[in-house]
Amino acid sequence: MFTKPSVGLSERVEYASAEWLAEAKRFLESASATIPNASFSFSAHLDSPPPHLNGGDGPFGYTIRIAGGTVEAEARPSNDVDLFQRGDYNAGLPLAWVVYGDDPTGRARIVREYQHLAGDRTSGPVGEMPGDPAVAGVLGALHDHLARRTVNNPDVGHRIKHYGLERHAAELADTGYTVLENAFTDDYALALREETHKNHEGRAADASFRATMLLERGLIWEEAVIHPWVLTLADHLLGRGNLIYQSDTIVKGPGLETHPGLHSDYAASMVEEPFPDFCLEATAVWAIDDFRGDCGPTCIVPGSFKERRQVPPGVTQEGSVTIEMPPGCIAFWHGATWHGSTPRKAAGKRTSLHNAYSRNFMRPIERYEEIDQAIVDRNPPVFSTLCGLDDAFGKSGLMGADFERLGYAAKSGYGRSRAFGTALLED
Ligand SMILES: O=C(O)CCC(=O)C(=O)O
Ligand SMILES: [Fe+2]
């Protein structure tokens, strides 16, 4: 049996859209009986919203006022509220999709990461949360209610622009790989390293250098797989609705040669040659430890994805370049690019996270269709999509295909990376 997305597909909404705001109003109205005397207002001013959401020239955002059992919701920002926040739409979006559950402090780590990615594109809140715990509780519940419904910005080009990924997209088109600098903090690297080493400890000396199926191994891996910059490059190369193909860590000690020679990441899928000119699979490698010099970095042949074939037997690493990156970087490559890994010469270990993504119609190496319901429920829709829970594959019954999912995939532009609403016009 397939695990279910945490809410019905028809209930999903875009951040700060008219439907999102209507859902917020509906939720608060149904909760208002529990806080009959509440008086509280909050607002957000969101800069650079996706054009398809912004009907006019005025400032974009929302304002919600709760007073005497009534709820007013307006699709524009206002300073005249108890709690106000301003920031870039795409920078704020991941913060809006964090599901806190019963423990508001339990997600501090990922909130800090999203703030790190946002940099100065969001400013701190002005004002205070309501002092009355009952009102604060309803607002917390509202946040999670919306987070479980909030999809990614479907305008991939808009995300590329506002996350500052234009250079990275150009490098992918040119060389087939790119490096996202400062993509996670030192504190996050520490937490990833600790978790990785726990998974690798106590294994037999001849055990695999990989620990696999990470999405069933804890919250930190669930967080990492939906890194907003990585998801944007994955959507760009693979189209929306792409899947997690494999999620694993590698710990490489001195002398260990994990990937001699060269390979393409299409090898396991045995893709027929010539490869299609669109990308089928792409890989994100997180440098939890140093990937420079004699630390055993990945090596790659720039532009080799244009060969559109597997690495022929006997090809060596000669002519490849190493991907030199300090901890906190994420390398991302087109899966048809020829690469390998250099043996580690330095003392100590190289720790890395390898999240590979594939097109929606591909058959991934790892299977998450029966992942624990609790894992899906504590994550936003992007996570359920990556696990293959939203599409129609494998879900046919005796009465035919899953038409709800087929319709959802079509409406959401699965398989496409072009701007929302333009796909049909361009065809
Ligand atoms: O560990 C490395 O340096 C390369 C790993 C690799 O080939 C991959 O993740 O696809
Ligand atoms: Fe590889």
Side-chain angles (χ1 to χ4, degrees):
M1 277 302 285
F2 287 92
T3 307
K4 294 208 171 6
S6 59
V7 300
L9 299 180
S10 62
E11 290 178 49
R12 292 183 175 179
V13 286
E14 277 184 62
Y15 177 42
S17 63
E19 296 77 16
W20 183 93
L21 192 56
E23 187 59 28
K25 184 169 193 280
R26 204 198 57 69
F27 180 90
L28 288 172
E29 281 169 347
S30 70
S32 65
T34 62
I35 46 167
N37 304 316
S39 167
F40 190 73
S41 55
F42 57 99
S43 178
H45 183 158
L46 301 170
D47 294 304
S48 308
H52 68 272
L53 289 188
N54 192 14
D57 296 333
F60 180 82
Y62 59 86
T63 303
I64 295 179
R65 297 177 196 278
I66 308 167
T70 65
V71 181
E72 279 173 31
E74 254 190 310
R76 69 179 108 102
S78 164
N79 288 333
D80 179 23
V81 286
D82 299 313
L83 186 62
F84 175 78
Q85 190 144 24
R86 181 162 184 175
D88 176 80
Y89 178 92
N90 288 295
L93 169 56
L95 289 158
W97 76 33
V98 175
V99 176
Y100 289 88
D102 296 336
D103 176 8
T105 61
R107 304 307 306 271
R109 178 177 63 199
I110 195 60
V111 167
R112 188 196 59 216
E113 288 307 298
Y114 289 158
Q115 283 164 346
H116 164 78
L117 298 183
D120 58 8
R121 284 170 301 190
T122 57
S123 46
V126 179
E128 299 280 337
M129 278 290 279
D132 179 344
V135 182
V138 166
L139 293 185
L142 169 69
H143 174 95
D144 277 6
H145 180 84
L146 293 171
R148 289 197 176 93
R149 287 162 174 73
T150 301
V151 297
N152 211 342
N153 172 6
D155 189 339
V156 182
H158 186 262
R159 270 190 274 147
I160 289 180
K161 180 166 173 208
H162 293 281
Y163 287 144
L165 301 176
E166 280 157 319
R167 170 174 64 82
H168 304 85
E171 285 173 359
L172 284 171
D174 180 25
T175 64
Y177 74 102
T178 190
V179 174
L180 298 164
E181 289 94 6
N182 264 316
F184 56 103
T185 65
D186 291 348
D187 285 346
Y188 203 69
L190 191 66
L192 286 167
R193 188 179 303 111
E194 267 176 28
E195 286 292 318
T196 304
H197 288 208
K198 257 190 243 163
N199 288 335
H200 287 253
E201 251 161 38
R203 296 169 145 212
D206 60 350
S208 162
F209 53 82
R210 289 179 187 273
T212 45
M213 290 296 292
L214 294 181
L215 302 191
E216 292 186 350
R217 288 177 184 261
L219 192 57
I220 199 162
W221 312 112
E222 301 158 32
E223 294 166 0
V225 81
I226 59 170
H227 188 295
W229 298 352
V230 173
L231 284 188
T232 298
L233 294 182
D235 284 357
H236 171 64
L237 280 191
L238 303 165
R240 293 194 292 275
N242 53 77
L243 305 171
I244 189 72
Y245 181 76
Q246 191 174 31
S247 179
D248 60 87
T249 44
I250 293 180
V251 176
K252 178 152 80 167
L256 189 62
E257 227 186 333
T258 57
H259 300 79
L262 296 173
H263 66 276
S264 98
D265 289 341
Y266 285 15
S269 292
M270 290 173 277
V271 179
E272 179 75 292
E273 300 172 6
F275 297 159
D277 60 6
F278 54 85
C279 184
L280 293 172
E281 183 277 347
T283 303
V285 176
W286 294 47
I288 299 171
D289 287 321
D290 204 344
F291 260 61
R292 288 175 294 190
D294 58 5
C295 292
T298 308
C299 58
I300 197 156
V301 182
S304 51
F305 72 97
K306 293 174 187 162
E307 298 263 348
R308 295 173 56 186
R309 59 184 174 129
Q310 305 288 5
V311 180
V315 171
T316 66
Q317 293 182 353
E318 208 180 307
S320 66
V321 299
T322 52
I323 304 180
E324 302 280 328
M325 50 179 181
C329 290
I330 301 176
F332 187 89
W333 58 74
H334 183 304
T337 315
W338 300 0
H339 63 279
S341 201
T342 59
R344 184 178 176 88
K345 298 194 193 85
K349 290 173 175 161
R350 192 205 76 173
T351 312
S352 52
L353 164 62
H354 303 243
N355 278 335
Y357 302 79
S358 67
R359 271 197 185 263
N360 181 247
F361 58 73
M362 295 230 336
R363 191 164 182 202
I365 288 186
E366 294 188 354
R367 192 165 181 273
Y368 292 107
E369 288 154 347
E370 290 166 7
I371 190 169
D372 268 8
Q373 189 68 51
I375 299 178
V376 173
D377 291 349
R378 67 184 179 217
N379 278 292
V382 281
F383 184 87
S384 138
T385 305
L386 286 175
C387 292
L389 309 182
D390 301 350
D391 59 43
F393 295 107
K395 302 177 189 77
S396 262
L398 293 177
M399 304 304 282
D402 185 325
F403 288 101
E404 188 199 356
R405 282 180 172 71
L406 283 173
Y408 181 77
K411 180 185 119 211
S412 307
Y414 277 17
R416 293 170 183 278
S417 32
R418 281 173 291 176
F420 191 67
T422 62
L424 288 175
L425 294 175
E426 279 172 22
D427 280 347

